[in-house]
Amino acid sequence: GRQCHCTTPAHDTPRIRLSRCRRRPDLARPRSLRMHSFTLKTTSGWFRSLFSMPRPSSTDGSRDARPALTPSIADPETIHLDEDSSTLELLFRMISGLPIQPLTSFDTVDTLLFASEKYDMPGPTSLVRISVLTSPLADQPLRLYAAASRYGWTDEAKVASQRTLAMNLWQDENWEMLAKVDVRSTLALLKLHRSRREILRKKLDEYPFVNASPVSDCSRCRRPADHHAWRELKHKVIAEMDLRPLGDTILDVGLTEWAEAKACWESKCAYADCAFLQYDKTESMRLIRRCIDNLPKTT
């Protein structure tokens, strides 16, 4: 394969030739990239340590007083690295201050973060951290939450946790992604989803809503009234919170279109001489919206 040389404008600095290791002999010859040693030493703790380590003499095995690598313009040193060429080129463009294309894949993000951590390069890590909150990366909240949790990005983890509220974490594909997140962060996310459901359940059993008692009085005639219609709607609301803890489907569609909602809003006192509508649809929807809006939103 052809070589790709990535250089900075200054040409009078000793250079390092960086080559990807070829793990299988049947693969094409790995690409190599040229980088100035000064750039590597000032942006990478790993390379800084590498350049400062003494190396054995090639003759008697004793330690040479020179640094491990002493590249020159005419005779650059070669270092073999494990990462693929596209990852290395993107990484080295970042530390050289050269432009890059917007990051659009979390696969790329993960390999960049792994390489940045491996070579102790905080610069690329900070650039990736900024990028993950932009579309389309921000549209994958579980991948974002996994990365933010691993690298201790508290603010990004909170943003991601809020965006997961539109997801059912118990679906197979989401559960597989959660398995890649550390246990503490996974439990925090599961607790957020569950707490929204349980807090709403408790609120819907408290004043001004009808309490959990199976029978209470009609608000007009004060005779016993069976509030089974409200109980059915309440159970539907809680079940929907399990599927989509954000609660938007409850407010935007559910409370007007569900069969349980229509039955509730049309429910009347069982006594013919009263026949009073048991529930104020407008006020009930306003109160339910307020309850959902006040639920915890982030881990």
Side-chain angles (χ1 to χ4, degrees):
R2 67 181 181 87
Q3 290 189 344
C4 176
H5 299 293
C6 180
T7 61
T8 57
H11 295 285
D12 57 349
T13 308
R15 300 178 191 173
I16 300 294
R17 181 185 294 113
L18 300 141
S19 176
R20 179 177 179 267
C21 288
R22 180 167 50 178
R23 296 181 181 274
R24 288 169 45 192
D26 58 318
L27 296 179
R29 181 183 177 185
R31 297 169 64 189
S32 63
L33 303 98
R34 286 177 178 265
M35 281 293 297
H36 295 292
S37 59
F38 177 81
T39 302
L40 293 172
K41 287 188 290 187
T42 55
T43 59
S44 166
W46 189 88
F47 281 103
R48 186 161 53 249
S49 297
L50 179 67
F51 293 141
S52 64
M53 291 171 58
R55 57 180 175 177
S57 171
S58 58
T59 56
D60 58 6
S62 62
R63 292 284 179 178
D64 197 327
R66 297 175 303 161
L69 295 175
T70 54
S72 66
I73 298 174
D75 184 24
E77 295 274 2
T78 298
I79 303 175
H80 298 285
L81 304 176
D82 294 331
E83 289 72 20
D84 62 84
S85 298
S86 59
T87 298
L88 291 175
E89 185 169 1
L90 187 54
L91 191 70
F92 295 149
R93 291 184 72 87
M94 286 180 169
I95 64 174
S96 300
L98 297 175
I100 61 170
Q101 293 297 317
L103 300 177
T104 59
S105 166
F106 260 105
D107 291 336
T108 302
V109 166
D110 289 341
T111 55
L112 272 176
L113 288 174
F114 181 82
S116 299
E117 184 177 36
K118 174 181 176 181
Y119 297 117
D120 191 12
M121 293 179 172
T125 301
S126 65
L127 292 175
V128 172
R129 183 176 183 178
I130 295 171
S131 298
V132 294
L133 289 181
T134 62
S135 186
L137 296 178
D139 300 332
Q140 303 175 62
L142 273 183
R143 296 289 298 268
L144 172 57
Y145 186 74
S149 299
R150 176 180 177 184
Y151 293 97
W153 302 341
T154 304
D155 293 339
E156 289 79 3
K158 287 184 178 296
V159 170
S161 67
Q162 183 171 0
R163 294 180 180 180
T164 67
L165 296 178
M167 306 173 67
N168 179 3
L169 295 183
W170 302 101
Q171 290 181 336
D172 289 344
E173 61 270 23
N174 295 334
W175 192 247
E176 290 176 6
M177 187 63 232
L178 271 180
K180 300 177 182 179
V181 183
D182 69 272
V183 174
R184 183 183 295 272
S185 298
T186 297
L187 291 177
L189 191 60
L190 292 173
K191 181 180 179 181
L192 170 66
H193 282 232
R194 179 180 173 83
S195 67
R196 287 177 62 87
R197 183 194 70 190
E198 293 306 310
I199 292 173
L200 181 60
R201 186 201 301 273
K202 182 180 179 182
K203 291 293 185 183
L204 294 181
D205 280 337
E206 297 175 347
Y207 180 84
F209 299 104
V210 177
N211 61 33
S213 174
V215 178
S216 60
D217 294 339
C218 170
S219 58
R220 172 186 278 183
C221 68
R222 299 302 175 185
R223 286 177 286 189
D226 182 0
H227 292 282
H228 70 278
W230 166 248
R231 292 197 301 274
E232 291 296 322
L233 176 58
K234 182 175 65 176
H235 292 158
K236 178 68 174 179
V237 167
I238 299 305
E240 185 67 16
M241 286 295 287
D242 246 347
L243 298 176
R244 191 176 171 92
L246 185 60
D248 56 332
T249 51
I250 297 171
L251 301 173
D252 297 339
V253 178
L255 294 180
T256 55
E257 299 297 329
W258 289 340
E260 293 86 349
K262 292 179 179 180
C264 184
W265 308 140
E266 295 170 1
S267 179
K268 297 180 181 180
C269 177
Y271 295 92
D273 60 338
C274 180
F276 183 67
L277 284 172
Q278 291 184 294
Y279 312 105
D280 184 330
K281 176 181 177 180
T282 301
E283 181 64 6
S284 297
M285 291 178 64
R286 185 188 70 82
L287 291 172
I288 294 173
R289 178 179 294 275
R290 187 175 69 179
C291 288
I292 293 177
D293 288 344
N294 289 335
L295 294 174
K297 296 177 174 62
T298 66
T299 53

